[in-house]
Amino acid sequence: KQEVTQIPAALSVPEGENLVLNCSFTDSAIYNLQWFRQDPGKGLTSLLLIQSSQREQTSGRLNASLDKSSGRSTLYIAASQPGDSATYLCAVLTGANNLFFGTGTRLTVIP
Amino acid sequence: DTAVSQTPKYLVTQMGNDKSIKCEQNLGHDTMYWYKQDSKKFLKIMFSYNNKELIINETVPNRFSPKSPDKAHLNLHINSLELGDSAVYFCASSHRTETQYFGPGTRLLVL
């Protein structure tokens, strides 16, 4: 059974700092891995999708990496801003077209 | 122009009632989903559905049933509501295994 874990559960950083969020999954048989952002009381916004054959994806200040064999992914945020404050969720897509979500990392960027 | 929309946004009801949540997507996607986010903010797949196949998470009680009148809609019907059904329910859609787009969520409170 697929299990997805995110560390840390919460993170506070001063504005401008670079940071890394971690995600690990137990079953490497995945189609892709996605990183989402969720603001309080809102839905999810897709940030990056990495196919199982890819190693990384970049979008602006965000860079996500994937090491499928070891069951790990990282989301790197450069030059953090207060507007980056949100909960970040990683999710892996399995053969049944189901998305298994991690527990989330709640990020606070302090001005 | 909202890509994935859900109604209602909030739903407060008594135990034992039957209720429905509607979901519509205007992205032309072939697959739609329902997720439940519990009080600890953990997101879990309930159903995934395309025009050929309904996949049900084995942990979902049979009081929950998805109904799709057409490719753009996947409604969630819940019979005999229980206190434990209180949660936020998210609808999502995708083209096959590509990025999933989420609706804003429906906050259900069962009294």
Side-chain angles (χ1 to χ4, degrees), chain A residues 32 38 41 46 49 97 99, chain B residues 33 35 37 42 55 97 99 107:
Chain A
N32 60 47
Q38 185 175 27
S46 179
L49 181 150
N97 206 24
L99 208 53
Chain B
Y33 312 81
Y35 291 86
Q37 188 170 42
F42 185 62
I55 299 175
T97 61
T99 300
R107 284 144 189 83

Side-chain angles (χ1 to χ4, degrees), chain B:
Chain B
D1 292 340
T2 305
V4 182
S5 59
Q6 296 178 227
T7 55
K9 189 173 181 179
Y10 299 95
L11 183 54
V12 181
T13 187
Q14 298 287 332
M15 242 179 16
N17 284 350
D18 302 337
K19 290 293 179 185
S20 294
I21 305 172
K22 295 184 177 181
C23 177
E24 176 181 3
Q25 55 96 4
N26 62 6
L27 298 168
H29 287 161
D30 55 17
T31 307
M32 296 183 72
Y33 312 81
W34 277 104
Y35 291 86
K36 178 180 180 180
Q37 188 170 42
D38 60 25
S39 57
K40 296 183 180 179
K41 307 298 183 185
F42 185 62
L43 263 165
K44 195 169 185 180
I45 183 78
M46 298 177 71
F47 306 100
S48 68
Y49 178 78
N50 61 30
N51 58 0
K52 298 178 183 177
E53 189 177 16
L54 171 66
I55 299 175
I56 303 172
N57 184 316
E58 59 190 13
T59 66
V60 175
N62 58 14
R63 298 181 294 103
F64 291 79
S65 58
K67 288 185 171 47
S68 180
D70 55 59
K71 285 179 65 174
H73 297 83
L74 183 66
N75 303 325
L76 182 64
H77 295 268
I78 316 171
N79 294 326
S80 303
L81 277 156
E82 299 178 358
L83 294 177
D85 298 333
S86 296
V88 183
Y89 292 85
F90 287 98
C91 176
S93 72
S94 72
H95 178 62
R96 298 181 185 172
T97 61
E98 296 173 8
T99 300
Q100 292 190 18
Y101 292 84
F102 281 72
T106 295
R107 284 144 189 83
L108 171 65
L109 177 61
V110 182
L111 302 174

Side-chain angles (χ1 to χ4, degrees), chain A residues 28-86:
Chain A
S28 61
I30 64 171
Y31 279 115
N32 60 47
L33 183 144
Q34 299 177 47
W35 282 93
F36 293 88
R37 168 188 174 138
Q38 185 175 27
D39 293 281
K42 304 288 186 181
L44 280 70
T45 301
S46 179
L47 298 173
L48 289 165
L49 181 150
I50 311 176
Q51 299 292 351
S52 62
S53 58
Q54 296 176 322
R55 299 284 290 182
E56 66 176 335
Q57 280 287 333
T58 298
S59 176
R61 293 182 295 107
L62 306 179
N63 176 277
S65 68
L66 173 64
D67 184 341
K68 201 174 94 163
S69 60
S70 67
R72 294 180 181 179
S73 175
T74 61
L75 179 67
Y76 174 83
I77 303 178
S80 59
Q81 303 171 358
D84 295 332
S85 298

